[in-house]
Amino acid sequence: MPNPKTLRVRVDANKCQGHNRCKAVAPELFELDEYGNARASGDGRVPPGQEEMASLAKSNCPEFAVEVIEE
Amino acid sequence: MSTRPPVSDWATDWDHLDPRWVEDPYPIWDDLRQTCPIAHTNRFGGAYLPTRYQDIRAIAYDTQHFSSRKVAVRDVHPPNDRGAPPITSDPPRHRLARLVLLPPFTPAAVETLRPGAQAICNALIDAFIDTGGCDAAAEYAQHIPLKVMAHLLGVPESDGDRFRAWINATLQEGATDQPALMRALEEMTEYFRAPMLERRKNPGTDLISYLVQQKYPDGRLLTDNHVLGSVRLLLVAGVDTTWSALGAFIWHLAKTPEDRRRLVAEPDLIPTAIEELLRAYAPVTMAREVVAETEINGCPIKPGQMVLLSFPAANRDPAIFPDAERVILDRRENRHVAFGLGIHRCIGSNLARMELAVALEELLRRVPEFGLAGPVTWSKGTVRGPRRLPIRFG
């Protein structure tokens, strides 16, 4: 069996405008700064079982600022 | 009321104050999106109306050709020295005015206001629950953001009637009535001047106190004009908008019993449903002034003209939102733009979402069964929502 893929989330700080949708749909994967702008929690690694939440964070961002990267 | 000539052709003579638009704008936009995606009118000194998501998005991001110094398409405009930073600001000045306002409106900051909002909603429901029905716009929706905002600014809730009159004069009458607009701006400015000067001496914990302590990068405190402009903005932008969204949501649930019953049975769905209702009934339409010639989607755009930036129309574009005309409470992928896009994203979006969630949760918990009980009237202009919304319980 091949190794399972690792997923990471990433927030493009130049695009994020603080809509807070990623934090709402995937609260463990994102954190907010003092202005309410988002960044990935820790190293952005998506724990098993949260893949769908990562994908929802991406598809609910109005600014297209959230990326989900396969490694 | 001024009399306006009826619209002859929506593609070349559109008017968002026309009674047909006010009553039901969605078919007009759906038709234009197919036939003339960037409509124009010679009314209001000349203005464009894009209805496709991609074009609205492009304009929202393009601060070089599209200025925010005028943020409404109207017959008359407030003078430039009565700007309300940051909504009327362009880069580079916009950034500081916005950064200053962001910390008091983060999700964590807004969360501290939730118990107060719950108490406000329940007191309002107490007042009408035994009467068999109510005007859900006038007796419920409008009071919630007004009371929360009074609390946030540290001014008496009992001045709510005056706030409502100013908001109405700014956003409704003010579109066509310059004296009413100017009077409201002056009265608001004078009303907040005294508390602002007082907070400069004795700051408390309210938002006016917070603002008078903020500084420009060179170390000077924000000017009186800046503070008063931002306070006017918070009052005008933070009340009518949420009240209109909430009214429209209650209207939808009153006429769609299956959706109402579903939210009563599945209250955990409310946050997701709110996003869908925001998409379908986004209350706020902004505007930009064209300041340099450009092209959008092949259409030449001329300086001096206005653009009606209809986020509600973008939200109904079927190219982006499948079944855009249907409300799907559990729609999972929803990049709606009810709070705008780019650097002017609504600062109060977290506050609005909290108020909307609390107001729906409390209403559905205590009045699970209700339906429409009479004709509904809608506001016109920058913000769309029901102004009369009679409902019957049970």
Side-chain angles (χ1 to χ4, degrees), chain B residues 96-377:
Chain B
L96 173 96
R98 180 173 177 87
L99 281 180
V100 157
L101 280 178
L102 286 172
F105 291 98
T106 61
V110 157
E111 204 47 39
T112 65
L113 301 169
R114 185 182 293 266
Q118 283 165 334
I120 288 165
C121 291
N122 278 295
L124 293 168
I125 296 170
D126 288 341
F128 58 62
I129 191 164
D130 294 327
T131 63
C134 71
D135 182 332
E139 292 177 65
Y140 190 59
Q142 74 167 347
H143 296 286
I144 297 160
L146 199 65
K147 286 170 187 280
V148 170
M149 188 57 70
H151 173 75
L152 195 60
L153 292 173
V155 294
E157 264 187 28
S158 52
D159 288 339
D161 285 342
R162 303 175 69 183
F163 301 161
R164 267 195 299 280
W166 293 331
I167 294 162
N168 190 51
T170 310
L171 294 175
Q172 303 275 314
E173 299 158 49
T176 50
D177 185 343
Q178 173 93 16
L181 173 64
M182 292 308 298
R183 209 161 42 238
L185 284 175
E186 290 314 317
E187 286 179 13
M188 264 191 282
T189 306
E190 287 320 304
Y191 174 89
F192 285 109
R193 190 180 301 280
M196 176 195 67
L197 294 173
E198 212 277 318
R199 305 306 200 276
R200 286 224 187 262
K201 285 184 227 142
N202 296 306
T205 55
D206 56 71
L207 199 54
I208 298 177
S209 298
Y210 168 85
L211 283 172
V212 298
Q213 296 176 79
Q214 299 304 306
K215 292 174 178 164
Y216 297 107
D218 65 7
R220 283 179 307 132
L221 292 167
L222 298 190
T223 63
D224 290 357
N225 254 357
H226 185 145
V227 172
L228 290 169
S230 287
V231 169
R232 285 199 308 267
L233 166 62
L234 294 175
L235 183 66
V236 172
V239 172
D240 205 28
T241 48
T242 306
W243 152 25
S244 296
L246 179 58
F249 295 5
I250 296 172
W251 171 75
H252 174 85
L253 297 175
K255 72 185 179 69
T256 322
E258 62 275 19
D259 282 355
R260 179 170 44 73
R261 290 189 188 118
R262 186 167 180 203
L263 290 187
V264 170
E266 303 173 51
D268 290 349
L269 186 60
I270 287 177
T272 306
I274 282 176
E275 299 306 320
E276 173 65 348
L277 292 165
L278 280 167
R279 183 192 68 79
Y281 304 115
V284 181
T285 294
M286 294 303 297
R288 297 289 187 266
E289 183 183 3
V290 185
V291 290
E293 179 148 0
T294 184
E295 226 177 60
I296 293 287
N297 195 11
C299 175
I301 303 288
K302 302 286 185 192
Q305 303 275 297
M306 294 295 296
V307 178
L308 192 74
L309 202 56
S310 176
F311 296 115
N315 279 350
R316 296 284 189 130
D317 186 345
I320 304 295
F321 303 97
D323 297 313
E325 77 294 351
R326 283 182 56 215
V327 170
I328 302 169
L329 290 183
D330 57 1
R331 189 184 288 268
R332 286 168 65 76
E333 302 197 352
N334 195 344
R335 293 183 198 270
H336 75 80
V337 293
F339 293 109
L341 277 174
I343 64 169
H344 290 283
R345 185 269 304 169
C346 169
I347 275 176
S349 63
N350 299 307
L351 177 62
R353 284 178 163 119
M354 184 278 286
E355 291 178 2
L356 291 169
V358 168
L360 278 193
E361 282 161 10
E362 297 307 314
L363 184 69
L364 290 169
R365 184 172 65 80
R366 299 189 57 192
V367 189
E369 290 287 325
F370 58 85
L372 290 178
V376 176
T377 59

